[in-house]
Structure formats: C-alpha cells, structure tokens
Amino acid sequence: MTPITPAILSAIHILTKPLGEASAHDAQSSHQEALLAVLRANRALLHERLQSESSFEEVRRLREEVMVAADWFGGDTEDSAWGFVQECLLLLLTLARHLSAELKLFQQTPTPPAARQRTPEMAPPLPPDVLGVAQQQTLGAALQFVVSLGLCPYLAAGVGVSLGRRSAFGAMVDQLVHGGAVPAAGRRLLTTTNILLQLAELSCLATLVFTRHLGDVLAALCQLGYQPRRAERSGTEEGKMQELSAEECQMCKEALKGLQGKVYQPMIIKELLILQGPKQSAGGSSRGSSSRAVLRPAPTWLKRLCGQLLSERLMQPHGVQAVVRAILEGGTGGDSDWRKCDCVARILVTCPQQSASADTYYRHVCHQILGLLHFKDQLTAQQHQRVATRAVLFMVQEQPSCAQQYLLTPLLGPLHRCTTASDEAHLQAAVDEWELTRCVNDVYKVWVVGNSPSASLLEALEQVLPVLFTLFCFTKQNVSHLRAPCQEVLLWYLSHAETSAALSALRRLSGLQGQKNQVAADFHFAPGSDGGARLSSRERFSEEDDALYEKLSGEQWRLECLTQLLSELKDCDLPGDFFLDLLQEMAGWSAAADGAEEDEPELDVSTMTLVEVEQRLLAPSARQDQRLSLLQLLAVMVDCLQHTVLLRKTSQVVDFLMSLLQRACVGLDQAPGPNPGNPVESETLRMGMGVVATLLSGPELSIEDYSSMSRLLPPLELLSQKHSEPVIQELASDLRALIATRGAYRPEDFTAVAPPSRNPKTTVKNISVPSRKTKANDSQTSAQSSRPHSNSPSNTHRAAAGVSPKGGGRTSGTSNLYLPTKPLSDWLLEACDPDVPTRAFALRVLTQMVQNENPEAVQAQEQVLMLFLENLEHEDSFIYLSAIQGLSALADSYPERILERLLKDFQHGPSLPASNQEHSLEFRLKVGEVLMRASRAMGDLAAHLGRPLIGVFLQGTRDPDQSVRASSLSNLGELCQRLDYTLGTLAQELSSCLTALIKTEKEAEVRRAAVHVITLLLRGLGDKTTQVLSDVLLDLYRALKWVVRSDPDDVAVLHAQLALEEMDDVMRRFIFPEQKLEKKIVVLP
C-alpha cells in the first residue's frame, strides 16, 4: 500500500470524526444546530490541513483533479449538509481513482525474481486495494454520512425505509434536511447515486457499499428511473424531478438492471421485498403522531415495479432458490420458520400478474421447485424441502392440471420409465441408480412427509404403485437404503386411499387382477453401487425349468412381501377387509362351478374363429390359475399374519364366519338326505360354529353385535334343516335361536359348548385363532374323526371347537385335549396301534392323564412307563417325541423311581427284552433328552434330586461315542445352573473334567459343549459365582482364554467369548457393586 492511500483515508477521518465536547457544548443550542456546527467545523478543519500540511500535498493535488472533472461540484454552498456530502464524495472518488491506478499498475508489474523463488508456505503479495479494519471503519462512516445526508433525504415518501424508522440520529437528520427548502433534490439524488455506483466498481469498496446500503441504492435507482413524471408544481419535490432528462432516466434503468444481475440474488430479492413496503391498513396511516411510529406504504408505481422485478428474479435460473434463501436465510428451524416456509410456498404457486401467461410461469418455476428437494445441508435441506413439499401440495389443490404436467409427471418420471423400458439400451441401465434413488426419496418427501392426501396425489401414486412394490420386494432381498422409503410410501397409500381403491391395488399387487403398470418385460431391478437399485435388462434363461422356477419363486416372494406390508397396518381394517374379500370370492366358487356345469352349452366350433375357439378352450385354465393364485395368497396370509391383524373387530369375525357357513351351505339343496360329506369340512364347520358359540358367550354383547350376527341366521337355518350330521343340525338350531332372541333363550348345555369368558380380549383372541390355525385343526380333527367309536358327539364337538369342558379357552401342547371318557386299558391298546396318528394321539392322552394324576394312571404307572419306553424306540418322530413328553411328565410326577430307571438306560442302553440293540445309541440320546427336560423341571428340588444325575453325566463325558459325550455335557450344563450353593463340593471335580475336555478332546462338538457348560454355569450362578466357584474360577478363566487363542473351531471360540463376557459381567458387579440408596428403620428395644 502506497503512502498516498493512508493520507487519503486520514483526510476522510478528519472529515468524519466527532467534534470535541467543548466545541460541541459552545455551539449547541439544539440537536440540528449542533450537527450543522460539527459538519462545518470538520469541513473547515479539512481545508486548513490540506493547505498547511505537506503530508496532504499529494492528496490536495488528486482532490483538485477530481474536482475539475466533477461538474456536479458546486463549491461554496449555503447548505452545510450538502457541502459536507460533496467533500465526502470528492475524497471517496479520489481514493477510488488512486486505488484503481495502483491496482492496474500492480497487475501490469512483472513478478520480481525473488518472489518467484518463494515457497508454498509464503503468503502472496497483497494487492494495493486491501484495507485494514480501521480503514474500513473510516470508509464505512463516510459512506454512512453520504447515504444519510445525500441520498435518503431526497427519496420520495414511501420509497425505501425512511431515516426516521432506523434510529434517533436518523430522525434528527431527516428533520434537519427537510426542515427548509431543498434545491435540486433530484439532481442531488442522481449525483450521489452515480458516485456510489462508481465506487462499487472497485471490489474493496463494492463490499462496503452493497452490504450496508444496497437497499438505499436500489430505492434511488427505482425513483430516478421509474417514478412517473407529473406536471411541474413550483416549490414541490415532484416538480423538481423534471430536471432529469430522459437519457439520465434510461441510464438509471440500465444501472438498476445491471445491479440486479451482479449482486447476490437473495440480497436483491430481500431488498426488493422491503421496497414493496407494508400493506396499507383499512384504517389508513393516521395512527400515532410521531413520524417514527408511522410506516408509510410504498407508492403504487413502486409496488408494481418491485413486483415485476421480483417476478423476473423468480423466473431466472435458480430464481426460486434465491427467493427461498432471501426469506428463510438465517432461520433457526423453529415454528416461525415453518410458517415462513408455508408463506414462501404460497408465493411460489401464485402466478404474478406481470407474467405473460400462467403456463409460461409454471414451466419456468416448477422444475426449480423440484430442485429444492435435493439439498444436502441438514438445516437448509429441511427448510427447502418444506417449501417444495408445501408448494407441490398447494399447486395440486389449486392448479391440478399444471401440477400434473410440470410437477408430478417429472417427479415420477423414472418410475414411469420402468414400465416402458425397451431393449435399445441393453448394455446400459434403463434407469440409473441415482435417478431411482432421487425419485423414491422425492416421493417419500412429498407424499409421506407432506401427508396431505388428495385425489390427484393418490391417483398419480396409484399409477406407479406396482413399480414401487416390485422395487420394495427387491430391496427386501438385499441391503438397500431404499427399503424404508418404499415401505413408507406403500403404507401411506394403503392407509389413505379409499377402501375400494386400496382393495383393488392389493389385488393388482398380488397378481389377482391384471398386469397394468408393471415393470417392463425382460427387465428387473439390480443392485446399485451405492446401496440403491437400477433397472437393467434381465438375462434370459437357457432352460425352461429355470425360468419356471424363477417365476414361481418370484411370485411367492411378492406374496410374502405383501403380507409383511399388511402386517404393518396394525391400526387399520384393510388387512381384514382384504382377507374377507378373498374368502367371499372363494365362497362363490362352488355355486359358480355348479351353475357352469348346468348351463355349459355344447361347443359349436363350426361357427367360431380359431381365436375364439382358443379363448374358449383356455378360459377354464385361466380360471383355474386365478383360483390357485387366490388359494396361495390366502395360505400365505393365514401363515404370516397374526389374528389380531386379520380380524380386528367383531364385525370382521362375523364376516369370516358368514363366509365359512356359506361355503358349508353350498350343495345342501342339491343333495337332500344323508350325505357323509368331507370329514375335514365337517370338523371345520363344527369349529366355526364353536367360534360363534364363544362369541355369543361374551360378557355383554351390544345391539350392534347382535345386528351384525343376525346375518348368520339364514345359513344357520339351512344347516339346521338340511345338514347330514345331527350334531351340526342341533348346534345350528341352538345358535340360531340364541341369535334370534338376542340372548333371551339359552340352551341348557350351551355353557359346556362355549363357557363364558371373563375377559373380552381373551374372547376375541380365542375367536380369531381358528382363522389362522385351520390346517393344524383340520389334521387334528381328521385324526379324531377317523375313530368314530372313540368319542361321543358332544365331546367331538368340544374338541373341534377347541374348548375344554373345564373352560378357559384354547391352550397349547397337550393341554388342549379333552378329558377322555374311555378306560385306561383302551388308551393303552391304542398306544400300540400300528396307525401313527392313532398311536401318537393315545400317547398324548396318556401324558395328559399322568399330568392330571388320573387314579388309573397312578395305579398303572409301571405299564405306562414300559409303554413310553417301547415307543421311544419308534422311528417316527411324531411317536418318539410324544413318548419323550410322556416320560418327562412321569419323571416330574415320580422323580425318584423314574429317574433311577432312566439313568440306568442312559448309561447302558435299552433294558427291555424286545429292544433293538443295534439302535442303542439313538435310544440313549432320546433318554438324554428326557433327562434334560426333567432337569429343567426340577427347579428348587435340583439340589436334592440332582446328585445321582451329576455322577451319571460326568461318567458319560468319558463315553466312547462323541454324541453321548456331547449329550452328557449338555445335560450337565442344564443341571449345574440350578444347583446354586450345592455345587460347591463338586466344583473341583467339575472344573477338572471341563478343563481336560477343552484341552484334550479331539471332536469339536464335544469341546463346544464343554465351553457351553461353563457359560450356563456362570449364567445360572450369577452374583454367587465368586462364592461357589472361588477355588476354580481362575482355572476356568485360563481354559476359556486358551480356547480363544488356540482352538481351531470358530464355534467353540464364539462360545468361549460368550462365557468370558458372562464372567466379565460377574466380576464387574463384584468389584463395582451397584450403589443403592435405602432407608432402614430400626426398632429399638
């Protein structure tokens, strides 16, 4: 920086520095007079020092050169304020010209050789226009004086923000300048504005001008270029505007246009919005007497001009973003910012009056609105996305046609292209990953986050729903960040669409209704490089079997994904409505099939074309495919969806039962008389009628419940009259009478059929279970129906209904079997029956009799034990698992005697004379399973009953067979974690055994079991570990560390790490016990 620049800045500082207190006090009679005195004194002091001091000689020369070229400089003037402004402008122009010359010289001067050798760490030389902080403050003060005294006072009323609204000093300046006649106001405003624009051509000065005084410069240019000219009125400001020529006005217009394109757009838009001024209230502007309390509205011409300029800014590239930044920049994300976002969105979707046409406006603006959805910065992204989302929603409501053309169609474009892809781009992706990712995220933001359902949005989303669902199914097979947004969008549509539209969409997604808007043939989604997906051409299969397998597995996977979507709709009736809709369609198959057989005419081929013949011949096959698809969908829904999702309300349960009864009534009219029918269907019908009975036994049924169940009266009447089984007829008649009388009539044995439940929630659960467990109940009831001599009709009905005579609803395992009425000898005979279901059922009944301490079973416990041991050797898993369950029940009821026999068989194999010694190993392993279940059931008795078992299990760890060794260790772990302090005397022996097995055992399976014993031991003892295993804890720790470091088996290492974690938790709790704040009350004697 040359010495001239500090000298010029020093001169500016002399001109703008405050006057001393003594001088100000002497001159002060009022604020205005004091200010004028300071201005005159500073100006006189500057002239004196410029003439007297040699350091200002070059400044004086440069100032005189500028003064000669300045035709606006008036020399001595009676207006002290304007004279002060002239001096400031002269010095500022002097500084600008000097800095421009120095900067030009700096750019033309070649780099010296010493500077070329500078290292990267060295700073580059500073250009001469770089100013310090103090120097910038001096320039800022001078510019503030220029704007306050030479620009703002000459603005028309309502143009810009008046000085009186800014500060008390500004109000004083405003009164000072307007206190007397102001000559040539327009010319002075033009002069000040032109000089400020000249200063802004230098970058260092432009920052100071535009960051602080951009609004004032814009207001001056608008007034100079666009204020309407009126007839001259002597003595008024409007008349003095006639002094400006048309060329000068045009120059101001061009300057305003150039300034808009050069400055940061959000700043321009913000200042234009301020220039528009506030809306004029209905009561006028007469409120308050102070000028500072009145906010004057902008003139009409200025409002119109600012609106036009804002529209031009908005329709420029990135204009929408500039408008959003101008209004929202600096926000904190609070509630006020969200209201601002809505206001901005409303502004964007409102076509301005200055626009040539609405279509042109929306064509320029809409794609910019969509661009707001793609910001990365978190705070900025939230605000911009809010604006974009609200703008889309407002436009869909107010301009649906333009929204469809310019917003929804481009936004959903990548998904639409998935349905129209062709093989032209075989080597490239038909739809790239970034396009799909952006599209899915935009749909999520607009539809789900916006959450403003309308017919247009639902219709637009419905068109791409199949593609979104296919993409969702693909993401379920892979790790993809698109899974969550796809699922949320699909759930949003299903939750907000009309029930009929949602059901139709579910049918299309499941493949039951049409193939419209599906992903294009021979194309599929493939994984993308960034965790997304892309649409690419599918490779053709060389064999038909592979293609068929791919198709069938794909259909099955789509159904599973659909049921998962339905399972997420927990507070919605749609899954139940869809399930009942499918059942209703299935109920009409039988009647439709019978009518088709009767009405099917003979096919007259002679009068038909080949296409018609082909269609007629393929129609039955198509109907069969449709039915198979529906059955497959029903099977997946029943298997995957919980009953609380399928049937949430009583009305849905009634609809389900109505469908069940209607299917049972089909064909009764055509087949009078006794008809054996299908036993599975009969048992299913009994189960459904049992559900009706349970529903009717609720605590307090409402009138609406009885009204909904009144629909069951016609099918119940038909069943009571024409069904072939008397039991069903009687039950249907009773249920019909109970529903018709609304509970006034109740049969005597109705409580035995369906006992009343005290918990209505339990009742609903019990009602809903049969809808999901039809297959299991069918298999069980078919086994019972194959033995008509086994049960009485009433008992058979109770078993089918799934309710025991003791009440309490449905239970699991063997507890859902009814108490038998046959003698024990019959069940013992059936337990030897060669028929597997009969034998398994008998074994389950015997197990239940043992658990219920049946007197006959207690007396014949030896026979029951022999029977269970014999069936333990059966090869069918259904048989030997039932035997294992029975032996576990015996060991639980009579532990001393039964455990002794089981331990002997576990050590030496089967002891029965008819046993097959070749299968001794399998038998011992099954007995080991029985002993493990018995160990779990011991509870607190393990300390008393577990001693003999520990000895046998320890001996089993040395068995020649590895499976027996592993089984012994498994049983040992289950037992040891229940022994607590009783284990202390066996700790050394147990530790030696486990440590030896861990280090010497060759079989990985046995080593895993040994490590797992330590894990169970630590988990069972918990905080008592340090007391019970204090002597061997270090040995166990070292053995576990040895496994982690040296064992080649990964599973054994994993078990060891889990055991070490258990040990770590125990020791942490021991060393750092939990601090408890407790109050103890001690009663003194």
Side-chain angles (χ1 to χ4, degrees), residues 765-782:
K765 283 188 177 182
N766 294 337
I767 290 169
S768 305
V769 167
S771 66
R772 301 190 63 246
K773 302 298 182 181
T774 304
K775 289 186 177 181
N777 291 329
D778 288 348
S779 63
Q780 177 177 331
T781 53
S782 63

Side-chain angles (χ1 to χ4, degrees), residues 147 150-152 154-156 159-160 186 188-194 196-197 213-227 241 244 252-253 256 259 275 301-302 305:
V147 172
L151 190 148
C152 291
Y154 305 114
L155 293 175
V159 179
R188 291 183 179 183
L189 180 63
L190 178 64
T191 299
T192 306
T193 305
N194 285 336
L196 288 176
L197 292 177
H213 309 291
L214 177 62
D216 297 322
V217 175
L218 286 175
L221 290 175
C222 289
Q223 177 173 323
L224 293 170
Y226 292 93
Q227 186 179 28
M241 289 295 298
L244 299 181
C252 292
K253 293 180 181 179
L256 177 62
L259 186 62
L275 282 179
W301 65 266
L302 182 58
L305 173 63

Side-chain angles (χ1 to χ4, degrees), residues 264-279:
Y264 181 54
Q265 291 301 297
M267 291 179 59
I268 290 287
I269 293 172
K270 185 181 298 184
E271 296 299 336
L272 289 176
L273 290 173
I274 296 174
L275 282 179
Q276 274 190 318
K279 293 183 179 180

